[in-house]
Amino acid sequence: MTDFRLVVVSAGVSDPSSTRLLADRATQRVTALARERGHAVTVTTIDLRELLQELPAALSSQLLGPRFTRAVDALVAADAVVAAAPVYKAGASGLFTSFFQVLDNDLLIGKPVILAATAGTARHALVVDEEMRALFAYLRALPVPTSLFASTEDWTDTALGTRIDRAARELVLLMESGFARAVRDDAWGAYQHTYGSGGGTELDIDLSSDMMRLATGGSLRDPEDDPFDPRKA
Amino acid sequence: MQFGIMSVSDITRDPVSGYTPSEAERIDAIVKIAVHAEEVGLDVFAVGEHHNPPFFSSSPTTLLSHIGALTERLVLTTSTTLITTNDPVRLAEEYAMLQHLTKGRMDLMLGRGNTAPVYPWFGQDIRQGLPLALENYNLLHRLWREDVVDFEGQFRTALQGFTSTPRPLDDVPPFVWHGSIRTPEIAEQAAFYGNGYFANNIFWPKEHYKRLIRFYRQRFEHYGHGTQKQAVVGLGGQAFIAKNSQDAHDQFRPYFNEAPVYGHGPTMEDFEEMTPLSVGSPQEVIDKTLTFREAFGDYQRQLFLVDHAGLPLKMVLEQLDLMGEHVVPVLREELDKLRDPESPSNPPSHADLVHAKYGDAEPRQPRPNANRGDNVTGGSPYQDSESTVGSYPTL
């Protein structure tokens, strides 16, 4: 039995919000399925609406306020994510996109994600797969195969429940596989990181790198052929 | 403890009057600001280096040598000198010249520059910014310490038997700071050479440079330059002072709101909360500045940004008056009282460096050999240079 940490990011701005409702339904299914399989799930919800006041500073100056910082900390510790956005003008909402654009590039590497979107019309249905999936591919997260989309008519359609069930199952299986943790343990160095990234967790300093050799009076040449390499002295 | 000001050299429209100073007016103003900094009892004046409008400071050594001629005590430095797009050979020459003209009343701070389009104007590529900075400093370091340098690197043409002139004043190179807030390699290079480390301390997250300053201190000790407390640390900061807090906020707000970089973003109150900016009464500025020591340990140099964002000359000079009269004397006393006896209260001056090299002996004064007519001085350019080529008996 494992205790999974699930973080729900909802960009719905009304209260109640259908985006939050979709995220909550997915979360309930994930929790229930995980429990059936003998796991516990701790859920943290980030309502992006509450971060709105901190967004200008984050976007313009990379200054993360206290709520943003708490959100990042939660995502660092997350085993999986449910990310839900309303669709406006044929795209995921600006709040949703902005939030993920502010995060460090390496924050979500390998983490399984359920992508979900709501809209007033079915014409927005492909936003999840064509836009949100690309964003999460850039972040090198692992969106589950089943995307969730709910426009007005879907709320009365049992097929939505079926898709939620399928996405939740996919997420639980990916969490169980331990993929994100295995990536972190075995292959983390193969991804690009900058000092302090990963939400402030990326703090290892490799003193034996080429750059460190250069920093300490050496050259970029192979130390074998470099008569001036100070480490030879 | 040294206190001073650092200028970015931006020429920004004054959002209150709507007036944009000309380059000529702003250059005159910066000279007045620097001279006034000395008059109010500050110790250091630093200017940045930029190569694009709306900045004027493309030639910091020219400006600083002029200020040097108008002042007597002020230490002149940079914030920063671009170690990436400048040829280290030119840096060695220009700053050695400045060192002579100011009689050693200078040092310099190296930075990389983060404006990608500037790099190709000088034949460089920002994608190589870090190795370029590291390699260029390695060369600069040698040019100031070896009369004759042979060098081969990745980024500039090789040097064969090159002598950078003039040799540094008293054959003691200027003190160098490395400025960085997120690059461990720069902190490592500063530590390796026993140079100073400067964090601009204007934007958060301070956690990054808190860790890097700790790392620099550890590595400084590791390389045998002294203890962690003896490592030389400088910090930036940003302040706007008025007699009382409300006046300070009212006066500074229009400038803050339209400031380059952070204007139109966070509110001033949020920025005060989240960054080292202090806007307020002298006591508030003092209290906030004292927190820097708590975060980073005892340090040797504090530079404030006071002349940016379109603040008119008159207001900048008033800021200096307030700083010199009500803030710096208190900070000086408080910080020296709190200082660990092991930690030096100032970065090394030229006199300190001369003493460290020669003790009580006379410093070396290089005198060149006669020009042989080929404009190349060969292996022993100075009468007392150690020859790098064998000398042969002549008849």
Side-chain angles (χ1 to χ4, degrees):
Chain A
M1 158 174 167
T2 320
D3 188 358
F4 291 124
R5 281 164 298 193
L6 178 67
V7 173
V8 181
V9 180
S10 166
V13 286
S14 56
D15 187 13
S17 128
S18 57
T19 303
R20 175 67 193 270
L21 187 67
L22 182 60
D24 283 350
R25 283 187 61 183
T27 304
Q28 279 155 12
R29 279 312 290 149
V30 170
T31 312
L33 275 169
R35 212 167 282 142
E36 280 169 28
R37 298 170 70 91
H39 312 293
V41 178
T42 312
V43 177
T44 309
T45 303
I46 303 168
D47 238 324
L48 294 184
R49 193 169 71 140
E50 292 173 10
L51 273 58
L52 264 173
Q53 290 195 347
E54 295 180 7
L55 191 61
L59 281 175
S60 66
S61 316
Q62 288 82 50
L63 286 173
L64 302 191
R67 285 165 194 259
F68 245 100
T69 307
R70 277 204 301 278
V72 168
D73 290 346
L75 286 169
V76 167
D79 294 298
V81 177
V82 173
V87 174
Y88 299 149
K89 321 274 193 237
S93 75
L95 175 58
F96 181 87
T97 312
S98 299
F99 174 75
F100 286 100
Q101 283 176 346
V102 166
L103 301 181
D104 289 331
N105 285 343
D106 55 357
L107 194 69
L108 297 179
I109 291 176
K111 297 195 188 213
V113 183
I114 290 178
L115 297 176
T118 58
T121 159
R123 284 194 290 271
H124 289 314
L126 282 173
V127 165
V128 196
D129 282 324
E130 297 205 329
E131 187 190 90
M132 290 166 64
R133 197 171 278 277
L135 171 63
F136 283 79
Y138 183 84
L139 294 169
R140 296 158 294 181
L142 190 60
V144 300
T146 301
S147 304
L148 299 181
F149 175 79
S151 64
T152 318
E153 59 269 36
D154 291 302
W155 293 107
T156 55
D157 188 343
T158 52
L160 178 62
T162 313
R163 288 198 299 276
I164 290 173
D165 192 59
R166 210 166 68 209
R169 189 172 301 276
E170 289 163 356
L171 192 79
V172 171
L173 291 174
L174 283 169
M175 280 200 288
E176 275 182 347
S177 78
F179 178 77
R181 230 168 309 121
V183 164
R184 185 168 267 278
D185 293 345
D186 303 343
W188 194 242
Y191 298 85
Q192 204 177 30
H193 309 284
T194 51
Y195 185 72
S197 69
T201 59
E202 198 50 44
L203 298 171
D204 286 345
I205 296 176
D206 176 8
L207 290 171
S208 62
S209 68
D210 288 352
M211 279 309 119
M212 281 300 190
R213 187 151 48 85
L214 191 60
T216 51
S219 76
L220 285 177
R221 287 187 286 178
D222 184 342
E224 293 301 307
D225 330 319
D226 183 3
F228 300 112
D229 192 283
R231 284 159 205 236
K232 278 185 145 174
Chain B
M1 176 84 180
Q2 289 182 341
F3 291 88
I5 53 172
M6 55 180 185
S7 175
V8 184
S9 92
D10 58 313
I11 306 177
T12 305
R13 172 181 164 274
D14 178 338
V16 175
S17 68
Y19 184 75
T20 304
S22 69
E23 290 179 334
E25 285 168 326
R26 183 76 170 99
I27 291 167
D28 284 346
I30 199 74
V31 173
K32 292 196 177 85
I33 289 168
V35 169
H36 198 55
E38 178 171 277
E39 288 166 355
V40 302
L42 299 186
D43 311 298
V44 184
F45 173 79
V47 70
E49 178 183 338
H50 294 273
H51 297 275
N52 52 314
F55 305 98
F56 65 81
S57 178
S58 58
S59 310
T61 53
T62 312
L63 174 68
L64 293 178
S65 66
H66 177 65
I67 294 169
L70 299 172
T71 52
E72 284 170 7
R73 273 189 322 102
L74 200 62
V75 175
L76 306 166
T77 186
T78 52
S79 57
T80 62
T81 292
L82 300 175
I83 186 63
T84 45
T85 45
N86 283 303
D87 182 353
V89 167
R90 286 298 287 142
L91 292 179
E93 294 172 341
E94 288 174 356
Y95 284 86
M97 191 68 187
L98 177 66
Q99 191 194 21
H100 277 274
L101 292 172
T102 58
K103 301 285 180 251
R105 201 155 41 87
M106 55 77 72
D107 49 42
L108 67 156
M109 192 205 310
L110 304 177
R112 274 154 68 184
N114 60 7
T115 314
V118 175
Y119 282 69
W121 299 338
F122 297 92
Q124 301 296 354
D125 180 342
I126 197 170
R127 291 169 298 179
Q128 297 296 322
L130 180 59
L132 194 53
L134 298 171
E135 182 177 293
N136 281 354
Y137 180 69
N138 288 340
L139 174 57
L140 178 61
H141 189 86
R142 292 183 56 206
L143 290 170
W144 277 336
R145 285 164 178 81
E146 299 167 34
D147 281 356
V148 182
V149 172
D150 291 337
F151 170 84
E152 195 181 332
Q154 301 280 312
F155 298 110
R156 58 149 294 134
T157 46
L159 297 172
Q160 294 291 331
F162 176 73
T163 299
S164 172
T165 56
R167 302 307 301 148
L169 179 66
D170 301 317
D171 205 24
V172 171
F175 186 70
V176 169
W177 303 79
H178 299 257
S180 170
I181 55 170
R182 56 182 141 242
T183 314
E185 287 84 356
I186 298 294
E188 174 77 357
Q189 191 172 41
F192 175 75
Y193 286 110
N195 293 342
Y197 182 76
F198 190 95
N200 73 17
N201 197 32
I202 291 188
F203 308 116
W204 260 198
K206 75 169 176 200
E207 279 65 30
H208 288 202
Y209 39 98
K210 216 162 134 176
R211 293 185 202 106
L212 282 184
I213 287 173
R214 198 183 316 131
F215 173 72
Y216 158 73
R217 289 184 188 278
Q218 287 163 356
R219 302 300 290 170
F220 184 91
E221 183 171 282
H222 169 83
Y223 286 114
H225 299 296
T227 64
Q228 296 191 28
K229 287 173 182 164
Q230 288 166 337
V232 186
V233 172
L235 293 174
Q238 221 188 143
F240 189 91
I241 316 161
K243 281 270 152 54
N244 66 62
S245 189
Q246 193 56 51
D247 287 351
H249 281 84
D250 291 347
Q251 288 167 27
F252 190 54
R253 190 178 307 279
Y255 297 93
F256 178 89
N257 285 348
E258 295 194 25
V261 185
Y262 51 76
H264 306 287
T267 65
M268 190 161 76
E269 282 71 14
D270 281 350
F271 209 73
E272 286 175 72
E273 172 87 30
M274 291 154 76
T275 81
L277 171 68
S278 39
V279 180
S281 66
Q283 192 56 49
E284 285 171 305
V285 174
I286 289 164
D287 290 344
K288 179 111 177 200
T289 308
L290 287 173
T291 66
F292 300 171
R293 180 191 160 274
E294 287 157 30
F296 306 109
D298 286 318
Y299 61 112
Q300 285 72 34
R301 176 177 286 179
Q302 172 67 54
L303 299 181
F304 289 105
L305 177 62
V306 295
D307 74 325
H308 68 311
L311 285 164
L313 176 62
K314 186 165 168 290
M315 273 174 97
V316 175
L317 297 177
E318 284 165 9
Q319 285 300 305
L320 292 178
D321 288 333
L322 289 164
M323 198 172 267
E325 191 174 343
H326 301 293
V327 174
V328 166
V330 181
L331 281 175
R332 230 187 260 287
E333 200 186 317
E334 288 293 312
L335 287 169
D336 278 336
K337 208 158 45 185
L338 294 165
R339 183 177 299 279
D340 187 300
E342 203 180 309
S343 164
S345 47
N346 287 297
S349 66
H350 181 69
D352 296 335
L353 295 169
V354 167
H355 186 75
K357 180 168 179 182
Y358 300 101
D360 293 325
E362 278 299 303
R364 177 187 181 221
Q365 300 301 339
R367 293 165 214 280
N369 288 317
N371 187 345
R372 299 180 309 189
D374 58 1
N375 285 328
V376 181
T377 45
S380 53
Y382 296 97
Q383 292 171 19
D384 62 348
S385 310
E386 276 180 40
S387 177
T388 54
V389 269
S391 58
Y392 299 96
T394 49
L395 283 174

